Amino acid sequence: RARSVFVGDTVVFNRVLGSILGLIVILQIVILYRQQALIPSSTPDIRDVSGKTIDIVGMPGLGDPSASLAIIEFSDYECPFCARHAVDVLPALKAKWIQAGSVRYVFANLPLQSHPHATVYAKAALCAGDQGKYWEIHDGIFGAVSSGSGGPELVLPPLVKRANLDA
């Protein structure tokens, strides 16, 4: 009986992961369609499912730049579902596929107008990236958002101090 529960958990995890990956691809297509432009990481030649090339130079990325699969996450730092992905799913993706070199993971900021602090968080993460601490701040912001720690004035100062960033 315990074995069937484990298998069931694996099936659920695979379904959730498949849904998330599908959502990421759909968001990618919608954004490309709406912008009618390619989005400006070190692998400049990635093709989406429609065959369009997406320029990811300058976007924060994890994993082997020559991996045969790239996931581009279009995300909003204030989105609770994006925070859930960053806190619950991304660590599993890192452990299983990104660190193994099978997947290149790229983050594209997509702050929504309905989230008043998303742009501030995105700018803070990109500034941290200029100091080599992008992913540390990325994880910290999403962790704070998922726990309801307040707005940028409460979230960012301790993250900046902990990461030892030039403010």
Side-chain angles (χ1 to χ4, degrees):
R1 188 80 174 138
R3 185 172 183 185
S4 66
V5 170
F6 177 75
V7 171
D9 289 346
T10 302
V11 170
V12 169
F13 176 78
N14 287 340
R15 285 183 182 164
V16 169
L17 180 60
S19 298
I20 290 169
L21 292 176
L23 179 62
I24 291 169
V25 169
I26 289 169
L27 283 172
Q28 175 186 0
I29 292 168
V30 168
I31 289 167
L32 287 173
Y33 178 76
R34 288 181 69 192
Q35 291 181 349
Q36 292 297 315
L38 301 179
I39 298 176
S41 246
S42 61
T43 307
D45 189 20
I46 291 181
R47 299 199 182 279
D48 72 2
V49 293
S50 69
K52 292 182 181 175
T53 301
I54 302 171
D55 182 3
I56 62 167
V57 171
M59 290 179 163
L62 295 170
D64 184 352
S66 63
S68 60
L69 175 65
I71 298 172
I72 303 174
E73 176 190 359
F74 294 89
S75 192
D76 175 320
Y77 279 105
E78 245 183 314
C79 167
F81 302 104
C82 300
R84 186 181 310 161
H85 166 78
V87 170
D88 296 336
V89 178
L90 184 55
L93 286 174
K94 285 180 188 176
K96 187 160 185 165
W97 292 293
I98 297 169
Q99 291 174 352
S102 304
V103 172
R104 172 80 170 149
Y105 191 85
V106 179
F107 189 89
N109 286 298
L110 182 65
L112 302 176
Q113 290 179 340
S114 59
H115 294 142
H117 305 301
T119 300
V120 173
Y121 287 135
K123 288 179 180 179
L126 291 173
C127 287
D130 290 343
Q131 297 177 51
K133 303 281 183 129
Y134 179 84
W135 293 102
E136 184 176 341
I137 297 301
H138 165 279
D139 295 348
I141 292 170
F142 274 128
V145 168
S146 70
S147 67
S149 296
E153 67 282 353
L154 297 174
V155 169
L156 293 176
L159 292 176
V160 167
K161 186 175 182 178
R162 190 173 344 134
N164 197 27
L165 296 173
D166 296 330

